[in-house]
Amino acid sequence: MQSIQERESYYKQGSPWLPDDLKKEFGLFNVFNFNPGKNGNPPQLPYNKKDYYKITIIKGSGSGIFLYADREIEIENYSIIFSNPQISYGWSQRENFSDGFACVFDQAFFHQYGNITNYSVFQPGNNIYQLDEEQFV
């Protein structure tokens, strides 16, 4: 059985900062600068399920492979990726992107806006948007 990556593991991997009340917080939401990689090496994210929702915003030059369910999707330059805990995903980056952010949150954060699983961007097949520079701005 495939393991599930918890938020705490993601936070430790991508940031020196870890919220004191990570396990107690109701409706957690955090934003991280895109990690350019340790020692200049592009970051990797293991292929598995996570226990959080994530919106990744990639800006600028770079490339990588987004592993999503049973697909491998080439990501270059400007992209927005919506990930959810129901679908396994991973990331294999070849070249560092110049800029970007990762927004990590749980379903409790979203409760006031309805059922997050009803939003099309968090359903399979509607979660990766590759943009040109004009669309991104």
Side-chain angles (χ1 to χ4, degrees):
M1 181 171 184
Q2 192 178 76
S3 65
I4 296 176
Q5 182 182 33
E6 295 179 350
R7 280 181 294 174
E8 184 174 354
S9 171
Y10 176 77
Y11 280 54
K12 286 180 180 178
Q13 171 187 338
S15 172
W17 173 76
L18 184 65
D20 293 332
D21 54 359
L22 180 64
K23 295 289 187 184
K24 298 178 227 166
E25 185 81 21
F26 180 77
L28 187 66
F29 183 92
N30 289 105
V31 178
F32 298 97
N33 284 327
F34 211 67
N35 186 344
K38 296 175 183 172
N39 303 322
N41 296 323
Q44 311 299 313
L45 183 65
Y47 178 81
N48 58 19
K49 289 186 177 184
K50 307 341 184 212
D51 75 343
Y52 50 85
Y53 290 84
K54 183 176 173 187
I55 301 170
T56 305
I57 301 169
I58 299 169
K59 176 183 176 186
S61 61
S63 68
I65 301 289
F66 185 64
L67 309 164
Y68 181 79
D70 61 350
R71 300 183 294 163
E72 290 187 6
I73 300 135
E74 179 82 24
I75 302 291
E76 292 186 8
N77 303 328
Y78 302 91
S79 300
I80 300 174
I81 302 169
F82 296 86
S83 308
N84 72 61
Q86 289 78 38
I87 306 292
S88 295
Y89 67 92
W91 178 255
S92 177
Q93 192 164 320
R94 293 189 294 230
E95 298 174 53
N96 285 328
F97 288 95
S98 58
D99 199 7
F101 297 93
C103 307
V104 177
F105 57 98
D106 59 12
Q107 190 162 358
F109 169 80
F110 206 83
H111 81 280
Q112 62 201 13
Y113 305 108
N115 186 345
I116 192 169
T117 60
N118 291 337
Y119 284 73
S120 63
V121 293
F122 287 107
Q123 295 176 2
N126 298 317
N127 60 335
I128 301 167
Y129 299 89
Q130 297 193 60
L131 312 169
D132 60 33
E133 187 174 2
E134 186 176 310
Q135 292 171 316
F136 191 84
V137 177

